[in-house]
Each structure stands twice: as C-alpha cells, then as structure tokens.
Amino acid sequence: MPLSLKGIARSARPKQWIKNFFILAPLIFSQNLFDVPLLINSAIAFAAFCLLSSSLYILNDIQDLDEDKHHPVKSKRPLASGEINRTQAWMAFGLLLTASAVVSVIFLNRNFMIALLIYVILQFSYSYGLKHVVILDVFIVAAGFIIRVIAGGFAINVHISHWLLICTLLLALFLALSKRRHEMVLLGKEAVNHRPILEEYSLYLLDQMIAVVTASTIIAYCLYTISEGTVTRFGTYELIYTVPFVLYGIFRYLYLIHRKSEGGSPETLIIKDRPLLIDVFLWVVAVVVIVYGRGG
C-alpha cells in the first residue's frame, strides 16, 4: 500500500507533545527563562523528547493493534484503521527513535542521554509487563513525567527542586488515575477486554485514589509556595497567590471527569476546554511575573 505521510504524522500523536512541556519546568523555576543559550538547550531537549515519545507511541500502536481495532476511539488510529501498515509503522518508529538519539548526542549532554535511555527502558517495561501490575501501572505512567522534568534539568545543568519532583509526581498520578476512570466509564463491561488491568480497579477505588492524590497535590503546592527555600530563592512570598489557579484547574478537571465523562486524553482536554486552558495560561503568566519580577 502507498505510504501515507498523514497517517504517519497522526500516529506520531503531536497533540501529546504537550506532555513534554514538563521539560521546561526546570528552566522556568531556575530563573533562566530569558537566558538564551539555556532556552535553546531546553527547546532542543523538548524536540528530542517529542521525537522519542512519538516513536514509542507508534511502537505502542504496533503492540496493541489487535486490541485497538475493537476500541471505540483507538480503532480510528492510522494503524488500527488500515491507513498505514505494520511495515510502515516500524519504519517510522526506527526513524524517529534514531533522530531523537542523533539530536541528543550532537546538542545535549550525557546526563540527558541517560535520562532518555531510562525513559525508553521504563516504557518498554511498562509495555511488556508492568502495565498489568495494579497500582504500579499508574506509578510507571507518572514516572514518565518525572523523567521529563529531570531531563529538562540535565539539559541546562541546573539543580531540580525536590518540591518540583513531588508536585510533578502527584499531578501525574492525578492525571493517570483520571484516565483509568475514564476508560472504565467509556468502555463499560468491555473495559477488561481492552485493558486487562482494569479488572483490578473499580470506580469507587479509583475515586478514592483520586481524592487522596487531589488533596495531596494541593497541599504539596501550597507548602511549596510558602517554604523557606522557595521564599529565599525567589525573594518573595507572593507565589502563594498562584494557588487559586491550581485549585481552579484541579476542580475544573474533576468537573470534566465526573460531569462530562472526560479525562481519557489530558493533553487534548487541556487544549479543548477553554476555561482550563485559560487557567493554565494565567497560572504560567502569574508564576513568571512573580518569579522574575522579584528574583529574576
């Protein structure tokens, strides 16, 4: 069959690149956002991770082809729908993976390469076994976000705050658990056939976990904004004023999960839901103004 570049591009899932913006967190909170060389390094790291993650998305589609064909949403993906074939998918996987490695070797450092390698090992471990281990499966998903943050720090050689890692872990768990809940609601009795690990969960259990992680995320962020280290570093207590944006964002996300049956694709939801998108934008603006207005 003829090669469909559009199909390959869709399989790369560019919408999910929004997850890779976590790489920029160390740049922002280290007060180096306007340092051009470091900004360029972060942009290159972002590009390398986009290439890598896209290659792994395609690999995942190859592995889950039979299950995806029977999924109400994933059956429309290029490989599952027949727009591209396995050979073309394998070629795209190899090219994207190679491109990511080349970019990293030429422009970035060894520590960043190690972070990339750990991410690949983690994703392979997830795909070939750990996705079938209850609770650990969502922790592996969350670990992917933490590695993004760590890789972002390595790319510009800055120290990563333990608060940033804690908040990232909790937020990522919140998103991962919400996605599991959405899958159970969307697929109903067929959920187990698509993702066997869902047999170990229930809506009640997931709601309890989400409640714990939600409260923990808010508390951790509040403590971060008023911690002695944060105040000393940025020279201001005003970061506490960004808490309402975090509260609204989480509450809005919970509303979309429970009242609109959303949450299956966080990266799409953030873009699609205007109130949530505006809230995230205002939070970023507020953080930049406060962090760079006093301490930058």
Side-chain angles (χ1 to χ4, degrees), residues 7 18 32 57 59 63-64 68 92 99 113 116 122 132 140 144 147 164 216-217 227 231 245 268 284:
I18 192 172
N32 288 303
Y57 292 143
L59 178 62
Q63 294 169 331
D64 297 340
D68 288 352
M113 282 292 298
L116 239 62
L122 190 72
H132 300 301
I140 296 300
I147 293 175
L164 180 57
S216 300
T217 303
S227 70
V231 174
F245 295 114
T268 301
V284 172

Side-chain angles (χ1 to χ4, degrees), residues 3-198:
L3 177 63
S4 171
L5 294 179
K6 182 179 179 181
I8 295 295
R10 285 180 54 216
S11 294
R13 302 186 207 173
K15 289 183 179 180
Q16 298 211 25
W17 290 351
I18 192 172
K19 298 176 182 177
N20 296 326
F21 278 107
F22 276 82
I23 288 175
L24 304 181
L27 178 73
I28 295 173
F29 287 98
S30 65
Q31 298 174 291
N32 288 303
L33 182 59
F34 303 112
D35 185 310
V36 175
L38 295 186
L39 180 60
I40 292 174
N41 271 12
S42 291
I44 294 173
F46 175 83
F49 235 96
C50 287
L51 292 169
L52 175 63
S53 58
S54 286
S55 72
L56 295 175
Y57 292 143
I58 293 175
L59 178 62
N60 184 70
D61 285 351
I62 295 172
Q63 294 169 331
D64 297 340
L65 178 58
D66 293 335
E67 292 86 349
D68 288 352
K69 286 181 178 179
H70 303 288
H71 190 280
V73 177
K74 295 180 181 180
S75 60
K76 299 176 182 178
R77 289 176 177 174
L79 185 58
S81 65
E83 186 177 351
I84 62 174
N85 58 37
R86 281 180 179 269
T87 300
Q88 294 168 345
W90 276 115
M91 290 176 57
F93 162 73
L95 287 172
L96 289 169
L97 185 64
T98 301
S100 175
V102 170
V103 169
S104 301
V105 169
I106 293 177
F107 297 104
L108 299 169
N109 55 50
R110 186 180 66 175
N111 286 337
F112 180 83
M113 282 292 298
I114 292 173
L116 239 62
L117 179 60
I118 293 174
Y119 182 81
V120 171
I121 294 173
L122 190 72
Q123 295 306 309
F124 269 83
S125 300
Y126 177 83
S127 297
Y128 289 100
L130 294 183
K131 68 179 180 180
H132 300 301
V133 182
V134 65
I135 299 178
L136 185 59
D137 63 321
V138 292
F139 270 92
I140 296 300
V141 173
F145 287 86
I146 294 177
I147 293 175
R148 286 176 171 89
V149 172
I150 293 174
F154 284 157
I156 58 176
N157 292 309
V158 299
H159 172 72
I160 302 171
S161 165
H162 61 277
W163 282 110
L164 180 57
L165 295 178
I166 290 173
C167 290
T168 299
L169 171 63
L170 292 171
L171 179 60
L173 283 173
F174 171 75
L175 296 175
L177 290 167
S178 298
K179 185 171 183 177
R180 289 288 183 270
R181 188 186 193 282
H182 177 267
E183 289 173 334
M184 292 195 71
V185 172
L186 176 67
L187 300 173
K189 295 180 179 179
E190 297 297 319
V192 176
N193 295 330
H194 172 69
R195 193 185 292 274
I197 191 59
L198 291 177

